[in-house]
Amino acid sequence: DNVLSVDNKSVYANVAENGPFENFTSSAALAKAAIMFEDDEVFSLWCKRSAIGDFEAAKEGYKNGVYTKRWGPNIDSQVAGHGIIAACELYKLTNEESYLSIAKEYARIVLSCQETEGVGEEKIKGFFYEDPLHKYILTYEHRGHEQSPIHGLAMLVELLPNDPSVNSWINGLKLYKEYVIST
């Protein structure tokens, strides 16, 4: 009957948590929705307020080491990558330069997580580690967010083609391209 009851074994609790990654993801989607639904002023403004609120919660949570119980400690390359995406989407929505400054700060984190020297006999480089210490390679067994750092860097290159840091972002993209081609 398409009605789920508590005793139905296919019903599982998936508790919502307030983590930086989830809030950056929500912020980016809501900022985009605010633009897409601008003909509906009430909904668009709700999306904008929610996007800004989620971004601020994510930014503070990330700075303070907050993370969700479900996924565990933050993965810097993933969270900072989504932070860039959210900041870029909010900049497109608000034209507030402060979002670009934050995006550039997160880009430094993302690039510090990238392998630039090459490892192993083949000297493979361009992939991302979870954090700047290069302890664990960024990889997922089912749910993937490997695109977060690349998507964020590409958005910055598109939005800020004349920024002094643009060449480092482009280099990060090129290194990742080499990695994908070589593997």
Side-chain angles (χ1 to χ4, degrees):
D1 296 332
N2 288 327
V3 176
L4 299 177
S5 61
V6 179
D7 61 344
N8 184 323
K9 291 181 181 180
S10 66
V11 177
Y12 296 100
N14 201 357
V15 179
E17 294 185 78
N18 194 16
F21 174 73
E22 292 78 5
N23 282 316
F24 279 139
T25 303
S26 173
S27 176
L30 287 164
K32 204 166 197 64
I35 294 169
M36 292 177 63
F37 290 99
E38 63 189 359
D39 59 325
D40 182 342
E41 186 177 352
V42 173
F43 183 64
S44 180
L45 286 174
W46 179 86
C47 288
K48 180 180 179 180
R49 281 192 312 273
S50 298
I52 291 168
D54 284 353
F55 186 82
E56 290 303 317
K59 186 175 72 168
E60 286 304 306
Y62 185 44
K63 183 173 100 177
N64 294 321
V66 172
Y67 57 86
T68 62
K69 291 177 187 174
R70 181 176 182 183
W71 300 113
N74 292 312
I75 296 172
D76 291 313
S77 52
Q78 171 188 304
V79 176
H82 263 68
I84 297 169
I85 294 165
C88 288
E89 293 296 351
L90 280 167
Y91 171 75
K92 290 177 191 177
L93 174 63
T94 66
N95 289 316
E96 290 182 27
E97 296 285 328
S98 61
Y99 289 116
L100 294 178
S101 296
I102 295 165
K104 291 194 282 186
E105 177 186 326
Y106 290 148
R108 285 189 288 280
I109 294 169
V110 163
L111 290 174
S112 72
C113 296
Q114 190 172 37
E115 176 59 52
T116 58
E117 302 296 315
V119 294
E121 289 180 26
E122 302 293 322
K123 294 292 183 193
I124 297 172
K125 59 185 174 181
F127 61 90
F128 289 91
Y129 290 94
E130 291 184 357
D131 62 21
L133 299 175
H134 294 195
K135 190 171 180 183
Y136 300 109
I137 294 173
L138 180 66
T139 184
Y140 298 88
E141 70 280 357
H142 60 286
R143 174 187 94 125
H145 298 286
E146 290 93 339
Q147 78 284 355
S148 300
I150 293 302
H151 188 182
L153 292 174
M155 287 182 80
L156 275 175
V157 169
E158 183 180 316
L159 284 175
L160 299 171
N162 298 316
D163 190 88
S165 298
V166 74
N167 287 332
S168 66
W169 306 331
I170 291 171
N171 187 55
L173 294 169
K174 286 180 179 178
L175 281 171
Y176 190 75
K177 175 186 171 187
E178 288 177 29
Y179 165 67
V180 170
I181 289 171
S182 72
T183 55

